[in-house]
């Protein structure tokens, strides 16, 4: 599930079949309220503006065939850009959770929804949230453990994405969000 668009008048709310199938009616209402809070607060616009410099620099560099000096020049753009987008996105998630709890009259349904979605079995083999700068627009954080193989290169990749998620993750840990929602009552 994601809210995509720059202006409130032309924003699209995207729902996957998995979201509709896995959530009960109260959870779905709570998740929709969460996404509507993002829409009202123009989070997509803000996070797009924050993510754009890092995304452009990453596209220029390509991280494979580029000259090392280009990497040195653009790294100071990528690191602060990703860090600021991650910090703002995490805070906006908590704000959207709080707004959804107020809008729906309670936090119980929203507290159970991320947990239900976090373990979705029908995930694609490639998690695109790990590759682009759109992860800030999803309700569930990226998961680097979905298709773990046993070879050393794959373990290194998983370790890299776990560290990256911890440092630059766009969503607070699901457990932290659930705990905060339960405290709201």
């Amino acid at each position: 599930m994601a809210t995509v668009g720059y202006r409130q008048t032309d924003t699209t709310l995207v729902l996957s079949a998995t979201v509709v199938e896995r959530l009960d009616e109260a959870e779905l209402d709570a998740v929709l309220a969460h996404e509507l809070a993002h829409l009202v607060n123009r989070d997509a616009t803000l996070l797009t503006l924050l993510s754009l410099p890092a995304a452009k620099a990453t596209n220029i560099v390509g991280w494979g065939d580029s000259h090392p000096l280009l990497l040195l020049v653009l790294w100071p753009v990528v690191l602060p850009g990703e860090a600021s987008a991650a910090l703002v996105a995490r805070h906006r998630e908590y704000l959207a959770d709080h707004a959804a709890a107020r809008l729906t009259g309670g936090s119980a349904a929203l507290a159970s929804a991320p947990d239900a979605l976090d373990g979705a079995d029908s995930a694609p083999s490639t998690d695109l949230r790990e590759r682009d700068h759109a992860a800030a627009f999803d309700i569930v954080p990226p998961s680097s453990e979905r298709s773990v193989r046993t070879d050393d290169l794959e373990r290194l990749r998983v370790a890299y994405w776990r560290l990256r998620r911890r440092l630059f993750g766009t969503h607070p840990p699901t457990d932290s969000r659930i705990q905060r929602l339960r405290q709201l009552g």
Side-chain angles (χ1 to χ4, degrees):
M1 171 176 272
T3 306
V4 182
Y6 297 109
R7 292 182 293 240
Q8 291 175 329
T9 56
D10 64 349
T11 297
T12 302
L13 181 62
V14 181
L15 290 169
S16 70
T18 301
V19 168
V20 175
E21 291 167 3
R22 287 184 140 252
L23 301 179
D24 64 30
E25 188 175 329
E27 290 171 334
L28 186 58
D29 286 346
V31 168
L32 288 171
H34 171 96
E35 293 302 325
L36 287 174
H38 282 306
L39 172 70
V40 168
N41 292 320
R42 299 182 176 167
D43 291 344
T45 303
L46 175 64
L47 293 170
T48 298
L49 292 173
L50 285 172
S51 299
L52 196 59
K56 286 293 189 185
T58 301
N59 285 340
I60 290 169
V61 171
W63 301 118
D65 303 331
S66 299
H67 193 279
L69 288 178
L70 185 59
L71 294 172
L72 287 173
V73 169
L74 291 178
W75 186 247
V77 173
V78 173
L79 187 62
E82 287 186 358
S84 63
L87 289 171
V88 170
R90 287 178 192 175
H91 180 67
R92 297 298 231 185
E93 285 302 315
Y94 286 128
L95 293 176
D97 284 348
H98 192 273
R102 284 192 329 222
L103 185 62
T104 59
S107 61
L110 188 58
S112 63
D115 199 31
L117 294 173
D118 206 22
D121 295 326
S122 59
S125 60
T126 302
D127 191 345
L128 296 179
R129 294 173 295 174
E130 293 178 346
R131 293 198 177 163
D132 63 21
H133 299 278
F137 306 111
D138 298 320
I139 190 166
V140 178
S143 171
S144 299
E145 300 109 78
R146 294 197 196 266
S147 61
V148 176
R149 293 188 300 258
T150 57
D151 64 3
D152 290 338
L153 185 58
E154 182 64 16
R155 274 188 255 141
L156 183 60
R157 186 188 74 78
V158 169
Y160 166 77
W161 282 109
R162 283 183 182 154
L163 177 62
R164 185 172 173 78
R165 163 78 179 113
R166 184 166 285 174
L167 296 175
F168 300 110
T170 57
H171 288 68
T174 302
D175 292 342
S176 173
R177 290 174 68 188
I178 291 170
Q179 182 181 15
R180 280 184 174 212
L181 284 165
R182 288 189 176 140
Q183 289 173 351
L184 288 175

